Amino acid sequence: ENDKDENPKVDEDLKVDEKEDRKEDKKEDEKEEVIDEHIKFHGGVEGIAILSRYPIQSTRTIHLPATHPQTPPTTEAAQNTTTPSHTPPFCGIAKSRTALRVETHTPLGLVVAYCCHLDAFAGRTARVHQLQPVLEDAQVTIWESAQNGRPRPHIIVGGDFNTHNHGLARFSRKMSGSEGMSGLGKTEAQWWDDVVFANTGLKDPFNKSDDSHNTWISVAGLTVWGGKIDWLLFSELTLVCDAHHISQGGKSSDHPYLRLDLRCTPEI
């Protein structure tokens, strides 16, 4: 009889638990709206994400031009790939990637943030071409705001750009293609800073020439090949920042933890 009396309470507890589980599932669904899974990778997926402490107002995927690795594909891989009609500068499998774009309203105003992961095995020129849709979208966003009399939005662009065409990579066709010896005297990150971002109004405050960001090959504790591949750019016309290189990433990642503390410029 006692067991029967307690059953309604147990059932009620189960209902509460189920309700909480549904809430958690809903939260996970909401998080997935800003996670872009776009490439099958070692049995899973490779993707990009943007997390925000402020409500995200809108999200959009930007499709980037397909690039090609420097080496020919295996027969099996080639059978699963549709070859594009154009002839790219590099042979191999066409890789389709995307950028993620979000808009969020913050105490600083409207922030439009982009995240992307550029191809590591396509060569410098292909990576520049791959990023163009992001830079163009940012310029259109700024122009549309001006046309409609809205305040200029703050632009942030971040991600792994794989800017490693220097050092030992210059001697590897797989890594650099026919561009291995171009831009001698500069790291690829320095070249991007001088050429690609020179007139965009976007600035990355981190060092472009040292190996403190990433070390891929070291001998006796000395870096043989390393450099900057991770970027955090902000619109320097509307924002100023304090830049922090928090950590190297350790054993769990080959990417450092970079942070920008942003505030509006005095004119904004």
Side-chain angles (χ1 to χ4, degrees):
E1 291 294 324
N2 289 337
D3 289 341
K4 289 181 179 179
D5 291 339
E6 292 175 1
N7 279 342
K9 295 181 180 179
V10 173
D11 291 343
E12 200 61 38
D13 289 341
L14 288 174
K15 289 179 181 178
V16 171
D17 289 341
E18 289 174 358
K19 189 176 181 181
E20 292 300 319
D21 288 341
R22 286 195 295 271
K23 286 182 179 178
E24 290 300 317
D25 290 341
K26 186 176 180 182
K27 288 180 181 178
E28 289 300 320
D29 290 342
E30 290 172 352
K31 290 179 183 177
E32 289 176 0
E33 291 179 1
V34 293
I35 297 177
D36 184 16
E37 299 175 347
H38 61 285
I39 299 178
K40 298 298 182 183
F41 184 73
H42 288 280
V45 290
E46 176 184 354
I48 50 180
I50 296 177
L51 308 179
S52 173
R53 66 183 296 183
Y54 302 105
I56 290 178
Q57 307 298 317
S58 67
T59 68
R60 178 158 55 85
T61 295
I62 300 173
H63 293 278
L64 307 180
T67 62
H68 295 248
Q70 316 292 2
T71 54
T74 63
T75 302
E76 180 181 358
Q79 291 174 350
N80 297 323
T81 302
T82 301
T83 304
S85 57
H86 67 282
T87 302
F90 308 116
C91 59
I93 305 172
K95 288 187 176 181
S96 177
R97 291 178 183 256
T98 62
L100 186 59
R101 178 191 190 276
V102 305
E103 291 188 7
T104 179
H105 289 280
T106 74
L108 298 180
L110 175 64
V111 172
V112 180
Y114 301 84
C115 179
C116 55
H117 182 191
L118 304 184
D119 202 313
F121 302 107
R124 186 185 68 192
T125 299
R127 281 191 287 275
V128 173
H129 182 56
Q130 198 171 49
L131 187 65
Q132 287 308 303
V134 172
L135 300 180
E136 290 170 3
D137 190 274
Q139 290 301 318
V140 169
T141 299
I142 293 171
W143 181 84
E144 288 179 344
S145 295
Q147 289 295 107
N148 294 307
R150 297 193 299 264
R152 186 184 180 104
H154 306 299
I155 304 295
I156 297 175
V157 181
D160 175 3
F161 293 0
N162 276 310
T163 45
H164 56 200
N165 184 20
H166 52 261
L168 292 180
R170 293 185 183 278
F171 301 98
S172 169
R173 178 169 176 78
K174 180 179 179 181
M175 303 296 288
S176 301
S178 59
E179 303 174 311
M181 294 303 141
S182 64
L184 284 173
K186 294 182 179 181
T187 65
E188 185 176 345
Q190 287 175 309
W191 184 89
W192 277 65
D193 198 46
D194 293 342
V195 177
V196 180
F197 300 124
N199 299 307
T200 62
L202 295 172
K203 179 181 179 180
D204 177 291
F206 297 97
N207 198 316
K208 314 298 186 301
S209 60
D210 68 0
D211 300 325
S212 63
H213 285 262
N214 307 78
T215 298
W216 303 297
I217 299 178
S218 63
V219 177
L222 298 176
T223 298
V224 176
W225 180 41
K228 173 183 173 61
I229 59 175
D230 299 299
W231 292 75
L232 266 179
L233 299 121
F234 65 96
S235 50
E236 57 180 341
L237 291 177
T238 65
L239 296 168
V240 292
C241 83
D242 295 319
H244 305 276
H245 188 147
I246 305 297
S247 71
Q248 299 299 101
K251 296 180 179 179
S252 59
S253 174
D254 62 342
H255 299 274
Y257 170 20
L258 306 177
R259 189 183 84 202
L260 300 181
D261 295 337
L262 298 168
R263 58 190 182 277
C264 290
T265 57
E267 296 81 7
I268 300 301

